[in-house]
Amino acid sequence: MTPPESEPIDVLLAEDNPGDVRLTEKAFEEGSVLNNLYTVPDGIEAMKFLRQEGDYADRPRPDLILLDLNMPGKDGKEVLRDVKADPELRRIPVVILTSSAAEEDILESYDFHANAYLTKPVDFEGFLEVVERIEDFWLTVVKMPPE
């Protein structure tokens, strides 16, 4: 349980599937951790958000990134490479949350310094459980880097 004086955690979800966005939002709403969940539909918007450009100029730098690999425009692997190559962004933990279970995707994600790789379950209950576990581990157990 989060102490009442805790600051909310800012989470960026980069996900192009509206159904998965809704499921993630629902799971975070039901969770026990104070959080602000921001969503972007693709990798181009994710990088704009992270660099606080344009419409995202007033958005906070997230404490955690949930990243889908298969997005239009700039895919999740490209975003991961850009984040981990940027000295101002590289300490933000990145959790890959994707439908791909391909060994090549898993290996490349870790090669590009993903902090975790999770495959989305196909059923509703399984998906909610995965998001709840992400919240529990990354937002209550792990010590996050200071800003």
Side-chain angles (χ1 to χ4, degrees), residues 119-137:
T119 303
K120 296 177 195 170
V122 292
D123 64 284
F124 174 76
E125 290 301 320
F127 188 88
L128 285 178
E129 183 177 333
V130 164
V131 173
E132 288 169 0
R133 287 179 185 236
I134 290 170
E135 180 187 51
D136 184 47
F137 182 73

Side-chain angles (χ1 to χ4, degrees), residues 6 80 96:
S6 291
L80 179 60
I96 304 299

Side-chain angles (χ1 to χ4, degrees), residues 14 50 61 90 120 127:
L50 291 166
R61 182 81 26 95
R90 71 174 54 144
K120 296 177 195 170
F127 188 88

Side-chain angles (χ1 to χ4, degrees), residues 15-24 127:
E15 171 62 67
D16 65 319
N17 182 319
D20 288 348
V21 169
R22 283 192 301 277
L23 287 174
T24 305
F127 188 88

Side-chain angles (χ1 to χ4, degrees), residues 15-78:
E15 171 62 67
D16 65 319
N17 182 319
D20 288 348
V21 169
R22 283 192 301 277
L23 287 174
T24 305
E25 289 171 340
K26 181 173 174 46
F28 272 91
E29 285 170 10
E30 293 177 3
S32 60
V33 177
L34 294 174
N35 65 72
N36 299 312
L37 181 65
Y38 300 92
T39 61
V40 292
D42 59 49
I44 294 167
E45 294 301 307
M47 292 312 300
K48 286 180 183 177
F49 186 102
L50 291 166
R51 292 183 174 136
Q52 298 170 311
E53 299 172 345
D55 293 340
Y56 306 108
D58 64 339
R59 299 295 183 178
R61 182 81 26 95
D63 300 300
L64 176 67
I65 301 168
L66 301 179
L67 183 62
D68 184 27
L69 289 183
N70 304 309
M71 296 184 292
K74 182 185 230 49
D75 70 22
K77 289 179 192 174
E78 293 172 295

